[in-house]
Amino acid sequence: MLRFCECSNFLVHPGRIPTPRFIARPPRCRTLPANSRSNGAPTAKETQIAAVLPVSPPSEEKQEQLRELYDGNKKIESGDLKVSDGHTLYYEVHGNPEGPAALFLHGGPGAGCFENHARFFDPSFWKILLLDQRGCGKSEPTAGLEGNTTQNLVEDIEVLREHLKVESWTLLGGSWGVTLALAYAIAHPNRVSGVVLRGICTMRTEEIDWMYRGGAGSLFPEGWASFLSILSDSEKEDPLASYYKRLTSPDLDTVEKAANRWRRWEMTVMFSGKTSEKYIVKAGEIFNAAWEPIASIMKKKGGEKKPDKKNDDVDGGKAKPTRSISHAQPLLECHYSINGAFLDEPLIAGVDRIRDIPCIGVQGRLDFVCPLRTAFDLSNAWPEMELHVIPMAGHSMYDAGVKHALIEATDRMKEHAVHAS
């Protein structure tokens, strides 16, 4: 049985606590080199799950021990990559153009990438790739659902890898990005040298139901009541299906109201009251109350299109590019959730195919979007995985403890990335 270790006052190295059992790695299993460990941290074989950060707020002395994002991680290249079904993907390259490759997989689906995401990696070492997945960020068409499935996104990653002549790369995925990282690694294990996961999500039915069919409503009843308030009594029988119908409606007033309620519910669960009434901070970017990014998106696109009140460009419930960027994330999240992420089998069932890939997981104990249960289940199926449970941390990658653990994890992957290249 796996043991959880949490410490309220200081950093704990999991190898310095007794563990109930060890699970031998298969002969093919690639381990993290000993001298790649940060501050003597052990391999996954030595422990499976450990908490690594003090209870917030730490003392001023202990705050100095926490890692901050790397500086100097400027974009060195960007491009638009045409893929299938009329989609064009926006990508950026940061860091060292000659270094081992690392790919950041953003959440949502539909959240898009921001420059701060590259700052979780050492820019002097890594060649860092950011990719806006189909239908979001600076990729086109905005909020496009046609040809937008997990299988399509996995294929897109391969197209990008081939386009940039990358042999293999390290993956960092958060939330939905965990699902995509696992799906890609299972499909293309020889192209993955290491995996770092944050806010672990595998899009099982119980995970989707937790967020959109009332589970989390037991913790946030007022937020759940607000989420349901725009639905009729009959629609409340399946809120997820009802929201999908509204978010794909040809009437953009209906879409706007549904998108606003969807975002409000998501922010309630994600930040638990940390959101300001005047603005929202997410992924290092500032958004206004309508969820419009104030700087980067507007600068890239030269202004937001104002869609007509009636959206005639809808085919069979599929949203077309006339929809606003502010609709993209609610629509894409609903699209993937209602379809079970288009997965033929649970991702955890496929973990045996990737057990020889080094993996470090980082999970906030107070993550109510992606509760700890999923991380625990994944670690049971993947005993070589090293899972760090951060006390008093939630879903955000910018929580001090989560941020520290992610930077430590990408640093620990360095030497292994060299060996894999």
Side-chain angles (χ1 to χ4, degrees), residues 117-339:
H117 294 158
R119 297 179 62 199
F120 286 88
F121 301 89
D122 181 351
S124 68
F125 179 85
W126 295 101
K127 179 179 181 179
I128 307 149
L129 292 311
L130 307 182
L131 173 68
D132 283 341
Q133 297 157 26
R134 293 189 181 206
C136 68
K138 301 167 189 175
S139 293
E140 298 285 356
T142 298
L145 300 188
E146 184 177 352
N148 201 330
T149 70
T150 301
Q151 291 75 21
N152 292 129
L153 302 189
V154 167
E155 292 170 5
D156 292 346
I157 295 171
E158 267 297 275
V159 171
L160 179 66
R161 185 190 63 78
E162 293 172 356
H163 175 72
L164 296 175
K165 297 179 172 57
V166 170
E167 185 64 24
S168 66
W169 40 18
T170 296
L171 307 179
L172 169 54
S175 192
W176 156 256
V178 170
T179 301
L180 186 54
L182 291 173
Y184 176 80
I186 290 168
H188 302 281
N190 294 332
R191 300 303 182 184
V192 180
S193 56
V195 181
V196 178
L197 307 175
R198 186 272 310 167
I200 292 172
C201 162
T202 64
M203 296 293 284
R204 295 177 297 181
T205 299
E206 56 264 41
E207 298 171 48
I208 295 168
D209 289 352
W210 165 261
M211 191 67 182
Y212 301 119
R213 290 192 172 108
S218 61
L219 296 179
F220 306 100
E222 71 287 358
W224 182 245
S226 176
F227 184 69
L228 297 180
S229 65
I230 65 171
L231 304 181
S232 68
D233 288 343
S234 61
E235 286 178 313
K236 291 175 184 176
E237 294 178 6
D238 189 348
L240 182 60
S242 299
Y243 262 88
Y244 192 63
K245 182 177 180 180
R246 287 170 177 261
L247 288 167
T248 56
S249 169
D251 180 71
L252 289 183
D253 283 336
T254 299
V255 173
E256 185 66 26
K257 289 177 183 177
N260 284 339
R261 293 288 176 170
W262 185 281
R263 289 191 297 266
R264 189 179 301 177
W265 168 241
E266 181 182 68
M267 299 301 287
T268 297
V269 180
M270 183 178 298
F271 289 107
S272 306
K274 295 180 182 178
T275 304
S276 164
E277 292 180 359
K278 295 183 179 179
Y279 64 88
I280 299 166
V281 179
K282 185 177 180 184
E285 292 285 307
I286 298 176
F287 297 76
N288 63 23
W291 202 250
E292 305 291 344
I294 292 187
S296 62
I297 300 294
M298 301 300 285
K299 182 177 179 181
K300 167 70 179 177
K301 295 200 170 189
E304 172 101 38
K305 288 183 287 188
K306 294 183 184 274
D308 296 330
K309 286 291 182 183
K310 292 287 183 180
N311 181 14
D312 295 327
D313 203 8
V314 173
D315 179 15
K318 306 297 186 182
K320 296 297 182 180
T322 53
R323 291 185 180 270
S324 164
I325 191 71
S326 66
H327 302 156
Q329 187 167 349
L331 177 58
L332 288 169
E333 287 177 348
C334 194
H335 173 65
Y336 274 79
S337 295
I338 196 72
N339 289 292

Side-chain angles (χ1 to χ4, degrees), residues 67-117:
R67 301 286 298 274
E68 294 296 334
L69 298 179
Y70 279 102
D71 291 324
N73 221 327
K74 300 299 182 183
K75 177 176 63 179
I76 59 176
E77 179 186 341
S78 64
D80 295 297
L81 184 64
K82 290 186 177 181
V83 289
S84 62
D85 303 301
H87 288 270
T88 299
L89 307 182
Y90 176 80
Y91 70 89
E92 293 181 355
V93 182
H94 294 246
N96 179 0
E98 304 302 322
L103 175 65
F104 184 94
L105 296 172
H106 66 70
C113 278
F114 300 90
E115 285 193 0
N116 259 356
H117 294 158

